[in-house]
Amino acid sequence: MADETIEALLLEQRKFPPSEAFKKRAHVVGTHLYDEAHADYEAFWARQAEELVSWSQPWQTVCEWNPPFSKWFIGGQLNVAYNCLDRHVEAGRGGKVAIHWEGEPGDTRTITYAQLLDEVERFSNVLRGLGVTRGDRVNIYLPMIPEAVVAMLACARIGAAHSVVFGGFSSQALADRINDASAKVLVTADGGWRRGEVFALKPQADEALASTPSIEHVVVVRRGGNAVDMSAGRDHWYHELMARADERCAAEPMDSEQLLFLLYTSGTTGKPKGIMHTTGGYLTHVTYTHKYVFDLHPDSDVYWCTADVGWVTGHSYIVYGPLSNGATQVIYEGVPNFPGNDRLWSIVEKYGVTIFYTAPTAIRTFMKWGTQEPAKHDLSSLRVIGSVGEPINPEAWMWYRENIGRGDCPVVDTWWQTETGGIMISPLPGATTTKPGSATFPLPGVGAEVVDESGRTITKGGGYLTLTHPWPGMLRGIWGDPERYKETYWARFPGRYFAGDGAKLDDDGYLWLLGRVDDVMNVSGHRISTTEVESALVSHPSVAEAAVVGANDATTGQAIIAYVTLRGGAQATETDLRNHVAKEIGAIAKPKTIYFTPDLPKTRSGKIMRRLLRDVAEGRNLGDTTTLADASVVAELQSRAAQSTED
Ligand code: WT7
């Protein structure tokens, strides 16, 4: 992030303490949770695990820490689906709404806890019937429909690990993830609704399936109604299998450290990492954070997180946290501007949403659309509003508070990652005085510190965000690659987890997240590695060389800018290459702009100078270019970048 931005953040002096009215009902006011966790974080997490999670067998050891590998609640047994469903039904809350589902075309489904349990039990039997057993992997490639939740919980019920792939990823990306996990079954749909049209999923899946030998069966949910090919013996309709499935399937106790899911995320190399999350610690972490960060009162709240289940936010704060807490939630299938720019606010009004959780990119888009959109609806039900996925600028934070939160809902800016499993740094809405743009403090039970280049702790100023001790929801590793796990997260600052983010501490000790410091971009809250896009570009037959950087963007946080050198005599347009990247990775990874250049700026030792390219893309004056092999390349690129901003 540019120095001016850091300066601007430090000038931010506004403070918002929780109101007396909010404090009256809040789970946490004051510092008691912080004090308790500070005294003994393991004992603190053990109390959360005991209070918030149901175990079929108690654990013997809270935490075993063999750096950098941790295990939590060892010896304990539990079933995640039991915690998310059965225990609420057994307690007499089977008639309570678990999911208000709203399809993009306006069709709806209301699903109670008892109904969701029935559906999950039957789908567990379907998976078993297809040969899935404890320890297997099941891939899920679905739109935002209730069957995505059902499929995930059915896996958890029988001890299979799921690997959900975001529906916007390409067939190539799907195939890579299926093969890395050696998944046995794929659960997909014919298609889903997006921006008023059906987008096809099964045809994409079919393309992937041509190169995924581990897949034995494919289950297809009917949603889009689009025509699909069904391969006899391999492909089955969800509704047909469900109609024949046995109704009851007991939740089997799992070891606390049983693999619950893999979720692939981009790293600094071209190959995505399969992040591993396990059972007891993860469930404890997401149940605890969902309850306290959002001040959830399950009897009166209606919660809504706008993420997709394909990302970790959907796993932790649509599926596992809210259902484990017995919440009532809204799930919406489509885009925020169909049929109009007020769709989300009409949903808030319709269901009386009280807790709303979204991303800064979305908030900045709402700002562009104007205050008249939320003003069309009664948003008075809202009481807590949250943000996640990227740094939120103070202006967007203030707009969110004033125009969505009526100037009186606490705003919780929550920092975490796929790897952390759950929220790590965030205000507690009844306890923390917030500042616009700051994620404030580590939650009780979490140790976070900012360190300098040499790993020394900083108490004021800028540096690198690190986590100082294990936590229950932490990743257990990278699937099939323990070395990469050590290297990526634990090598840079020995004894500490390095998140890859820059951060700053102000005079009052508040944390301000400053974005990634590695070759990972954050585009609309989605993590995409520069190397991944570069490999996609150079896999095009016309491309000789490519360099990709993330440049600051007013709406999407960062935008993908590519510099490409074509092979001698080869022809390719910007559109050709953008489409090629969409095909290789997915539309989310399409570069916003591609500059064609006869050469890329390199150091004398041949390294591409990315920082310099980022400066060019962001229109900054360049400092020292004396290490550059050929300075004229940069002058040329700069004049072209300037031209394109004038266009
Ligand atoms: C990266 C993790 C956490 C779920 C969604 C993204 C950035 C996330 C914040 C925040 C500033 C944030 C970081 C982090 N990030 N939340 N509140 N403030 N930055 O998960 O894809 O694993 O990405 O998102 O850079 O490292 P992810």
Side-chain angles (χ1 to χ4, degrees), residues 313 389-391 413-418 501 513 516 522 527:
T313 308
E390 33 171 338
D413 171 17
T414 62
W415 179 90
W416 58 294
Q417 308 179 295
T418 304
D501 280 330
L513 276 309
R516 306 285 310 187
N522 190 327
R527 233 159 111 172

Side-chain angles (χ1 to χ4, degrees), residues 34 66 91 121 135 167 185 197 305 323 380 487 556 582:
Y34 294 94
N66 287 320
E121 288 194 66
V185 166
E197 284 169 19
C305 166
L323 295 176
S380 60
E487 180 61 32
T556 58

Side-chain angles (χ1 to χ4, degrees), residues 1-13 391-394 436-437 450 460-464 501-507 510-517 552 620:
M1 194 177 272
D3 286 348
E4 313 93 77
T5 324
I6 298 178
E7 290 303 316
L9 287 179
L10 291 183
L11 290 174
E12 182 55 63
Q13 293 296 342
I392 180 163
N393 45 313
V450 179
K460 207 179 122 173
Y464 303 94
D501 280 330
K504 187 140 189 149
L505 282 165
D506 71 12
D507 290 345
Y510 279 66
L511 272 161
W512 300 77
L513 276 309
L514 303 176
R516 306 285 310 187
V517 297
N552 283 332
R620 262 192 304 284

